[in-house]
Amino acid sequence: MSDVELIEAARQVQKNAYAPYSNFKIGVAILGNDSQIYTGVNVESSSYGLTICAERGAVCKAVAAGCKIFAKIVVYSSCSPPATPCGACRQVLYEFGQDLQVICVNDHNEIVRYELSQLLPEGFRLKDKQN
Ligand code: THU
């Protein structure tokens, strides 16, 4: 699976984002280790705090399909520089592996690449802890 295909999946799904309050649409495509693409969009709510980020929507879709190991995630936005995952989403992604490649892209084809461990150093994992 090429990055171009994954980016295109995120670009396409961004159109389905439900963001009437912020007008800030995000599309996400996760490449699972099963070679499937799991997409997500942000879904806002009149009760603003109930908004669900695109990244977490995509993670839920992947896990529900039985995929818990991810190779890459593309976060597609329309701002410059391209949006990176919020703190909460970084922690949720970290649950499934700190070596995840995070590719942030926008409409101007600006591409910024990270490893999740750069975006979330010392993330929390319960299974690493002893009590
Ligand atoms: N948003 C995401 O979907 N992912 C992020 O990582 C950052 C923020 C959404 C939530 C909200 O609908 C809009 O962007 C503005 O915050």
Side-chain angles (χ1 to χ4, degrees), residues 35-80:
S35 301
Q36 299 299 303
I37 294 177
Y38 300 98
T39 57
V41 295
N42 50 329
V43 179
E44 297 186 345
S45 169
S46 299
S47 181
Y48 292 175
L50 300 182
T51 291
I52 299 167
C53 289
E55 294 89 333
R56 277 178 280 167
V59 167
C60 290
K61 203 191 269 186
V63 173
C67 178
K68 291 191 277 290
I69 302 175
F70 312 145
K72 299 175 189 178
I73 180 170
V74 170
V75 179
Y76 194 100
S77 61
S78 297
C79 57
S80 179

mmCIF file of all heavy atoms in Angstrom, residues 35-80:
data_model
loop_
_atom_site.group_PDB
_atom_site.id
_atom_site.type_symbol
_atom_site.label_atom_id
_atom_site.label_comp_id
_atom_site.label_asym_id
_atom_site.label_seq_id
_atom_site.Cartn_x
_atom_site.Cartn_y
_atom_site.Cartn_z
ATOM 1 N N SER A 35 -3.501 -4.987 5.994
ATOM 2 C CA SER A 35 -3.488 -4.324 4.678
ATOM 3 C C SER A 35 -4.796 -3.628 4.341
ATOM 4 O O SER A 35 -4.997 -3.227 3.190
ATOM 5 C CB SER A 35 -3.143 -5.311 3.553
ATOM 6 O OG SER A 35 -1.892 -5.886 3.789
ATOM 7 N N GLN A 36 -5.669 -3.486 5.322
ATOM 8 C CA GLN A 36 -6.922 -2.762 5.089
ATOM 9 C C GLN A 36 -6.756 -1.298 5.496
ATOM 10 O O GLN A 36 -5.922 -0.964 6.344
ATOM 11 C CB GLN A 36 -8.068 -3.375 5.911
ATOM 12 C CG GLN A 36 -8.367 -4.825 5.587
ATOM 13 C CD GLN A 36 -8.794 -4.997 4.141
ATOM 14 O OE1 GLN A 36 -9.750 -4.374 3.696
ATOM 15 N NE2 GLN A 36 -8.062 -5.831 3.422
ATOM 16 N N ILE A 37 -7.588 -0.462 4.888
ATOM 17 C CA ILE A 37 -7.610 0.953 5.250
ATOM 18 C C ILE A 37 -8.850 1.212 6.095
ATOM 19 O O ILE A 37 -9.963 0.812 5.716
ATOM 20 C CB ILE A 37 -7.653 1.853 3.993
ATOM 21 C CG1 ILE A 37 -6.363 1.715 3.199
ATOM 22 C CG2 ILE A 37 -7.875 3.307 4.370
ATOM 23 C CD1 ILE A 37 -6.350 2.522 1.901
ATOM 24 N N TYR A 38 -8.634 1.872 7.230
ATOM 25 C CA TYR A 38 -9.740 2.255 8.107
ATOM 26 C C TYR A 38 -9.810 3.774 8.158
ATOM 27 O O TYR A 38 -8.831 4.426 8.522
ATOM 28 C CB TYR A 38 -9.538 1.670 9.506
ATOM 29 C CG TYR A 38 -9.484 0.168 9.468
ATOM 30 C CD1 TYR A 38 -8.264 -0.501 9.465
ATOM 31 C CD2 TYR A 38 -10.647 -0.576 9.361
ATOM 32 C CE1 TYR A 38 -8.213 -1.890 9.382
ATOM 33 C CE2 TYR A 38 -10.611 -1.964 9.275
ATOM 34 C CZ TYR A 38 -9.389 -2.611 9.286
ATOM 35 O OH TYR A 38 -9.349 -3.977 9.191
ATOM 36 N N THR A 39 -10.948 4.299 7.763
ATOM 37 C CA THR A 39 -11.083 5.748 7.675
ATOM 38 C C THR A 39 -11.901 6.296 8.846
ATOM 39 O O THR A 39 -12.639 5.571 9.506
ATOM 40 C CB THR A 39 -11.762 6.155 6.357
ATOM 41 O OG1 THR A 39 -13.029 5.503 6.277
ATOM 42 C CG2 THR A 39 -10.904 5.813 5.157
ATOM 43 N N GLY A 40 -11.760 7.595 9.039
ATOM 44 C CA GLY A 40 -12.545 8.272 10.072
ATOM 45 C C GLY A 40 -12.641 9.751 9.765
ATOM 46 O O GLY A 40 -11.800 10.298 9.028
ATOM 47 N N VAL A 41 -13.670 10.369 10.303
ATOM 48 C CA VAL A 41 -13.841 11.818 10.179
ATOM 49 C C VAL A 41 -14.236 12.374 11.542
ATOM 50 O O VAL A 41 -14.720 11.636 12.408
ATOM 51 C CB VAL A 41 -14.938 12.198 9.154
ATOM 52 C CG1 VAL A 41 -14.545 11.768 7.752
ATOM 53 C CG2 VAL A 41 -16.294 11.612 9.556
ATOM 54 N N ASN A 42 -14.034 13.680 11.709
ATOM 55 C CA ASN A 42 -14.527 14.269 12.947
ATOM 56 C C ASN A 42 -16.050 14.430 12.870
ATOM 57 O O ASN A 42 -16.610 14.728 11.816
ATOM 58 C CB ASN A 42 -13.831 15.590 13.272
ATOM 59 C CG ASN A 42 -13.772 16.598 12.155
ATOM 60 O OD1 ASN A 42 -13.718 16.245 10.980
ATOM 61 N ND2 ASN A 42 -13.788 17.862 12.497
ATOM 62 N N VAL A 43 -16.668 14.173 14.003
ATOM 63 C CA VAL A 43 -18.128 14.249 14.116
ATOM 64 C C VAL A 43 -18.434 15.174 15.286
ATOM 65 O O VAL A 43 -18.168 14.820 16.450
ATOM 66 C CB VAL A 43 -18.747 12.852 14.339
ATOM 67 C CG1 VAL A 43 -20.261 12.965 14.473
ATOM 68 C CG2 VAL A 43 -18.377 11.915 13.193
ATOM 69 N N GLU A 44 -18.934 16.366 14.969
ATOM 70 C CA GLU A 44 -19.204 17.355 16.013
ATOM 71 C C GLU A 44 -20.622 17.198 16.552
ATOM 72 O O GLU A 44 -21.446 16.457 16.001
ATOM 73 C CB GLU A 44 -18.953 18.765 15.446
ATOM 74 C CG GLU A 44 -17.492 18.917 15.056
ATOM 75 C CD GLU A 44 -17.103 20.311 14.625
ATOM 76 O OE1 GLU A 44 -17.993 21.147 14.341
ATOM 77 O OE2 GLU A 44 -15.881 20.571 14.573
ATOM 78 N N SER A 45 -20.867 17.900 17.638
ATOM 79 C CA SER A 45 -22.152 17.806 18.327
ATOM 80 C C SER A 45 -22.564 19.198 18.805
ATOM 81 O O SER A 45 -21.709 20.030 19.141
ATOM 82 C CB SER A 45 -22.016 16.876 19.542
ATOM 83 O OG SER A 45 -23.153 16.955 20.348
ATOM 84 N N SER A 46 -23.876 19.417 18.865
ATOM 85 C CA SER A 46 -24.403 20.668 19.447
ATOM 86 C C SER A 46 -23.880 20.844 20.864
ATOM 87 O O SER A 46 -23.690 21.960 21.334
ATOM 88 C CB SER A 46 -25.927 20.626 19.516
ATOM 89 O OG SER A 46 -26.458 20.495 18.237
ATOM 90 N N SER A 47 -23.684 19.735 21.536
ATOM 91 C CA SER A 47 -23.044 19.758 22.844
ATOM 92 C C SER A 47 -21.548 19.578 22.567
ATOM 93 O O SER A 47 -21.045 18.454 22.440
ATOM 94 C CB SER A 47 -23.606 18.615 23.703
ATOM 95 O OG SER A 47 -23.011 18.645 24.970
ATOM 96 N N TYR A 48 -20.847 20.704 22.401
ATOM 97 C CA TYR A 48 -19.520 20.711 21.771
ATOM 98 C C TYR A 48 -18.550 19.662 22.311
ATOM 99 O O TYR A 48 -17.776 19.072 21.570
ATOM 100 C CB TYR A 48 -18.861 22.088 21.937
ATOM 101 C CG TYR A 48 -19.510 23.210 21.169
ATOM 102 C CD1 TYR A 48 -19.048 24.513 21.330
ATOM 103 C CD2 TYR A 48 -20.579 23.004 20.293
ATOM 104 C CE1 TYR A 48 -19.626 25.576 20.644
ATOM 105 C CE2 TYR A 48 -21.162 24.055 19.615
ATOM 106 C CZ TYR A 48 -20.685 25.343 19.787
ATOM 107 O OH TYR A 48 -21.246 26.379 19.113
ATOM 108 N N GLY A 49 -18.613 19.459 23.615
ATOM 109 C CA GLY A 49 -17.647 18.553 24.244
ATOM 110 C C GLY A 49 -17.804 17.102 23.821
ATOM 111 O O GLY A 49 -16.946 16.278 24.121
ATOM 112 N N LEU A 50 -18.884 16.798 23.141
ATOM 113 C CA LEU A 50 -19.105 15.412 22.699
ATOM 114 C C LEU A 50 -18.474 15.125 21.350
ATOM 115 O O LEU A 50 -18.561 14.006 20.839
ATOM 116 C CB LEU A 50 -20.606 15.116 22.635
ATOM 117 C CG LEU A 50 -21.359 15.263 23.960
ATOM 118 C CD1 LEU A 50 -22.821 14.898 23.779
ATOM 119 C CD2 LEU A 50 -20.728 14.387 25.030
ATOM 120 N N THR A 51 -17.848 16.124 20.782
ATOM 121 C CA THR A 51 -17.194 15.943 19.481
ATOM 122 C C THR A 51 -16.223 14.763 19.507
ATOM 123 O O THR A 51 -15.486 14.565 20.469
ATOM 124 C CB THR A 51 -16.423 17.234 19.109
ATOM 125 O OG1 THR A 51 -17.394 18.242 18.848
ATOM 126 C CG2 THR A 51 -15.523 17.038 17.912
ATOM 127 N N ILE A 52 -16.245 14.003 18.422
ATOM 128 C CA ILE A 52 -15.320 12.869 18.279
ATOM 129 C C ILE A 52 -14.336 13.200 17.169
ATOM 130 O O ILE A 52 -14.739 13.563 16.056
ATOM 131 C CB ILE A 52 -16.090 11.578 17.935
ATOM 132 C CG1 ILE A 52 -17.080 11.246 19.061
ATOM 133 C CG2 ILE A 52 -15.120 10.415 17.710
ATOM 134 C CD1 ILE A 52 -18.094 10.195 18.683
ATOM 135 N N CYS A 53 -13.064 13.080 17.473
ATOM 136 C CA CYS A 53 -12.032 13.372 16.478
ATOM 137 C C CYS A 53 -11.978 12.255 15.422
ATOM 138 O O CYS A 53 -12.320 11.099 15.685
ATOM 139 C CB CYS A 53 -10.665 13.463 17.134
ATOM 140 S SG CYS A 53 -10.426 14.906 18.162
ATOM 141 N N ALA A 54 -11.477 12.643 14.263
ATOM 142 C CA ALA A 54 -11.368 11.709 13.139
ATOM 143 C C ALA A 54 -10.472 10.516 13.479
ATOM 144 O O ALA A 54 -10.763 9.376 13.103
ATOM 145 C CB ALA A 54 -10.816 12.453 11.927
ATOM 146 N N GLU A 55 -9.390 10.784 14.191
ATOM 147 C CA GLU A 55 -8.433 9.712 14.514
ATOM 148 C C GLU A 55 -9.101 8.642 15.365
ATOM 149 O O GLU A 55 -8.930 7.442 15.147
ATOM 150 C CB GLU A 55 -7.223 10.283 15.281
ATOM 151 C CG GLU A 55 -6.356 11.233 14.487
ATOM 152 C CD GLU A 55 -6.804 12.685 14.567
ATOM 153 O OE1 GLU A 55 -8.005 12.938 14.782
ATOM 154 O OE2 GLU A 55 -5.941 13.559 14.400
ATOM 155 N N ARG A 56 -9.842 9.104 16.375
ATOM 156 C CA ARG A 56 -10.467 8.119 17.267
ATOM 157 C C ARG A 56 -11.585 7.366 16.565
ATOM 158 O O ARG A 56 -11.804 6.180 16.830
ATOM 159 C CB ARG A 56 -10.948 8.795 18.546
ATOM 160 C CG ARG A 56 -9.804 8.924 19.545
ATOM 161 C CD ARG A 56 -10.213 9.623 20.795
ATOM 162 N NE ARG A 56 -10.228 11.060 20.599
ATOM 163 C CZ ARG A 56 -10.778 11.924 21.448
ATOM 164 N NH1 ARG A 56 -11.399 11.481 22.515
ATOM 165 N NH2 ARG A 56 -10.713 13.217 21.208
ATOM 166 N N GLY A 57 -12.277 8.038 15.638
ATOM 167 C CA GLY A 57 -13.291 7.330 14.852
ATOM 168 C C GLY A 57 -12.667 6.212 14.035
ATOM 169 O O GLY A 57 -13.200 5.095 13.952
ATOM 170 N N ALA A 58 -11.518 6.508 13.444
ATOM 171 C CA ALA A 58 -10.843 5.493 12.616
ATOM 172 C C ALA A 58 -10.309 4.344 13.470
ATOM 173 O O ALA A 58 -10.382 3.179 13.071
ATOM 174 C CB ALA A 58 -9.708 6.145 11.825
ATOM 175 N N VAL A 59 -9.773 4.670 14.647
ATOM 176 C CA VAL A 59 -9.276 3.616 15.544
ATOM 177 C C VAL A 59 -10.425 2.688 15.937
ATOM 178 O O VAL A 59 -10.292 1.451 15.903
ATOM 179 C CB VAL A 59 -8.617 4.225 16.809
ATOM 180 C CG1 VAL A 59 -8.393 3.153 17.877
ATOM 181 C CG2 VAL A 59 -7.309 4.902 16.459
ATOM 182 N N CYS A 60 -11.575 3.262 16.265
ATOM 183 C CA CYS A 60 -12.724 2.434 16.667
ATOM 184 C C CYS A 60 -13.161 1.522 15.521
ATOM 185 O O CYS A 60 -13.494 0.349 15.734
ATOM 186 C CB CYS A 60 -13.895 3.317 17.110
ATOM 187 S SG CYS A 60 -13.573 4.148 18.674
ATOM 188 N N LYS A 61 -13.126 2.068 14.321
ATOM 189 C CA LYS A 61 -13.522 1.253 13.158
ATOM 190 C C LYS A 61 -12.552 0.077 12.971
ATOM 191 O O LYS A 61 -12.976 -1.062 12.730
ATOM 192 C CB LYS A 61 -13.533 2.139 11.909
ATOM 193 C CG LYS A 61 -14.415 1.613 10.806
ATOM 194 C CD LYS A 61 -14.178 2.386 9.517
ATOM 195 C CE LYS A 61 -15.087 3.572 9.377
ATOM 196 N NZ LYS A 61 -14.918 4.224 8.044
ATOM 197 N N ALA A 62 -11.258 0.343 13.103
ATOM 198 C CA ALA A 62 -10.254 -0.714 12.925
ATOM 199 C C ALA A 62 -10.412 -1.798 13.997
ATOM 200 O O ALA A 62 -10.434 -2.994 13.677
ATOM 201 C CB ALA A 62 -8.846 -0.112 12.991
ATOM 202 N N VAL A 63 -10.543 -1.377 15.233
ATOM 203 C CA VAL A 63 -10.635 -2.354 16.322
ATOM 204 C C VAL A 63 -11.904 -3.190 16.187
ATOM 205 O O VAL A 63 -11.891 -4.414 16.374
ATOM 206 C CB VAL A 63 -10.552 -1.643 17.695
ATOM 207 C CG1 VAL A 63 -10.815 -2.628 18.832
ATOM 208 C CG2 VAL A 63 -9.174 -0.998 17.874
ATOM 209 N N ALA A 64 -12.997 -2.547 15.790
ATOM 210 C CA ALA A 64 -14.252 -3.290 15.614
ATOM 211 C C ALA A 64 -14.128 -4.332 14.505
ATOM 212 O O ALA A 64 -14.794 -5.371 14.536
ATOM 213 C CB ALA A 64 -15.385 -2.314 15.307
ATOM 214 N N ALA A 65 -13.243 -4.054 13.547
ATOM 215 C CA ALA A 65 -13.038 -5.001 12.443
ATOM 216 C C ALA A 65 -12.003 -6.077 12.808
ATOM 217 O O ALA A 65 -11.697 -6.950 11.989
ATOM 218 C CB ALA A 65 -12.592 -4.251 11.187
ATOM 219 N N GLY A 66 -11.439 -5.976 14.006
ATOM 220 C CA GLY A 66 -10.494 -6.998 14.461
ATOM 221 C C GLY A 66 -9.037 -6.634 14.246
ATOM 222 O O GLY A 66 -8.157 -7.475 14.427
ATOM 223 N N CYS A 67 -8.773 -5.385 13.853
ATOM 224 C CA CYS A 67 -7.387 -4.958 13.590
ATOM 225 C C CYS A 67 -6.892 -4.075 14.721
ATOM 226 O O CYS A 67 -7.460 -3.004 14.971
ATOM 227 C CB CYS A 67 -7.328 -4.205 12.254
ATOM 228 S SG CYS A 67 -5.678 -3.603 11.870
ATOM 229 N N LYS A 68 -5.813 -4.510 15.374
ATOM 230 C CA LYS A 68 -5.287 -3.732 16.499
ATOM 231 C C LYS A 68 -3.815 -3.369 16.315
ATOM 232 O O LYS A 68 -3.176 -2.881 17.239
ATOM 233 C CB LYS A 68 -5.482 -4.508 17.809
ATOM 234 C CG LYS A 68 -6.955 -4.617 18.200
ATOM 235 C CD LYS A 68 -7.142 -5.144 19.600
ATOM 236 C CE LYS A 68 -7.087 -6.641 19.674
ATOM 237 N NZ LYS A 68 -8.231 -7.343 19.071
ATOM 238 N N ILE A 69 -3.280 -3.638 15.137
ATOM 239 C CA ILE A 69 -1.899 -3.234 14.857
ATOM 240 C C ILE A 69 -1.925 -2.349 13.621
ATOM 241 O O ILE A 69 -2.446 -2.746 12.566
ATOM 242 C CB ILE A 69 -0.979 -4.452 14.632
ATOM 243 C CG1 ILE A 69 -1.016 -5.365 15.854
ATOM 244 C CG2 ILE A 69 0.453 -3.989 14.359
ATOM 245 C CD1 ILE A 69 -0.232 -6.658 15.702
ATOM 246 N N PHE A 70 -1.377 -1.156 13.781
ATOM 247 C CA PHE A 70 -1.440 -0.165 12.709
ATOM 248 C C PHE A 70 -0.025 0.174 12.235
ATOM 249 O O PHE A 70 0.884 0.310 13.046
ATOM 250 C CB PHE A 70 -2.107 1.132 13.195
ATOM 251 C CG PHE A 70 -3.396 0.935 13.952
ATOM 252 C CD1 PHE A 70 -3.723 1.772 15.006
ATOM 253 C CD2 PHE A 70 -4.288 -0.074 13.619
ATOM 254 C CE1 PHE A 70 -4.919 1.613 15.715
ATOM 255 C CE2 PHE A 70 -5.476 -0.251 14.308
ATOM 256 C CZ PHE A 70 -5.793 0.595 15.367
ATOM 257 N N ALA A 71 0.110 0.352 10.926
ATOM 258 C CA ALA A 71 1.416 0.712 10.361
ATOM 259 C C ALA A 71 1.558 2.225 10.219
ATOM 260 O O ALA A 71 2.599 2.801 10.546
ATOM 261 C CB ALA A 71 1.594 0.049 9.004
ATOM 262 N N LYS A 72 0.498 2.844 9.696
ATOM 263 C CA LYS A 72 0.571 4.274 9.380
ATOM 264 C C LYS A 72 -0.791 4.897 9.588
ATOM 265 O O LYS A 72 -1.817 4.226 9.420
ATOM 266 C CB LYS A 72 0.913 4.505 7.907
ATOM 267 C CG LYS A 72 2.216 3.960 7.456
ATOM 268 C CD LYS A 72 2.373 4.155 5.953
ATOM 269 C CE LYS A 72 3.606 3.407 5.475
ATOM 270 N NZ LYS A 72 3.797 3.508 4.028
ATOM 271 N N ILE A 73 -0.759 6.197 9.851
ATOM 272 C CA ILE A 73 -2.011 6.955 9.866
ATOM 273 C C ILE A 73 -1.782 8.237 9.075
ATOM 274 O O ILE A 73 -0.751 8.904 9.250
ATOM 275 C CB ILE A 73 -2.485 7.253 11.306
ATOM 276 C CG1 ILE A 73 -3.806 8.045 11.304
ATOM 277 C CG2 ILE A 73 -1.439 7.978 12.122
ATOM 278 C CD1 ILE A 73 -4.458 8.176 12.679
ATOM 279 N N VAL A 74 -2.714 8.552 8.195
ATOM 280 C CA VAL A 74 -2.697 9.833 7.499
ATOM 281 C C VAL A 74 -3.771 10.723 8.118
ATOM 282 O O VAL A 74 -4.920 10.295 8.281
ATOM 283 C CB VAL A 74 -2.971 9.670 5.988
ATOM 284 C CG1 VAL A 74 -3.191 11.026 5.326
ATOM 285 C CG2 VAL A 74 -1.821 8.936 5.320
ATOM 286 N N VAL A 75 -3.375 11.925 8.477
ATOM 287 C CA VAL A 75 -4.308 12.927 9.000
ATOM 288 C C VAL A 75 -4.394 14.028 7.954
ATOM 289 O O VAL A 75 -3.403 14.717 7.685
ATOM 290 C CB VAL A 75 -3.813 13.495 10.352
ATOM 291 C CG1 VAL A 75 -4.775 14.556 10.877
ATOM 292 C CG2 VAL A 75 -3.634 12.370 11.369
ATOM 293 N N TYR A 76 -5.577 14.157 7.344
ATOM 294 C CA TYR A 76 -5.744 15.088 6.225
ATOM 295 C C TYR A 76 -6.587 16.276 6.676
ATOM 296 O O TYR A 76 -7.722 16.121 7.126
ATOM 297 C CB TYR A 76 -6.428 14.378 5.049
ATOM 298 C CG TYR A 76 -6.321 15.154 3.765
ATOM 299 C CD1 TYR A 76 -5.366 14.814 2.815
ATOM 300 C CD2 TYR A 76 -7.147 16.241 3.519
ATOM 301 C CE1 TYR A 76 -5.234 15.541 1.650
ATOM 302 C CE2 TYR A 76 -7.026 16.979 2.362
ATOM 303 C CZ TYR A 76 -6.069 16.621 1.426
ATOM 304 O OH TYR A 76 -5.949 17.348 0.271
ATOM 305 N N SER A 77 -6.001 17.464 6.546
ATOM 306 C CA SER A 77 -6.710 18.689 6.928
ATOM 307 C C SER A 77 -6.560 19.703 5.806
ATOM 308 O O SER A 77 -5.918 19.430 4.792
ATOM 309 C CB SER A 77 -6.120 19.242 8.228
ATOM 310 O OG SER A 77 -4.755 19.553 8.029
ATOM 311 N N SER A 78 -7.146 20.880 6.010
ATOM 312 C CA SER A 78 -7.055 21.909 4.973
ATOM 313 C C SER A 78 -6.279 23.122 5.455
ATOM 314 O O SER A 78 -6.318 24.179 4.821
ATOM 315 C CB SER A 78 -8.463 22.328 4.541
ATOM 316 O OG SER A 78 -9.111 21.221 3.963
ATOM 317 N N CYS A 79 -5.585 22.994 6.569
ATOM 318 C CA CYS A 79 -4.843 24.130 7.121
ATOM 319 C C CYS A 79 -3.345 23.978 6.828
ATOM 320 O O CYS A 79 -2.879 22.906 6.457
ATOM 321 C CB CYS A 79 -5.079 24.222 8.626
ATOM 322 S SG CYS A 79 -4.641 22.721 9.516
ATOM 323 N N SER A 80 -2.636 25.073 6.989
ATOM 324 C CA SER A 80 -1.192 25.051 6.791
ATOM 325 C C SER A 80 -0.501 25.646 8.019
ATOM 326 O O SER A 80 -0.852 26.759 8.422
ATOM 327 C CB SER A 80 -0.819 25.864 5.549
ATOM 328 O OG SER A 80 0.580 25.872 5.372
#
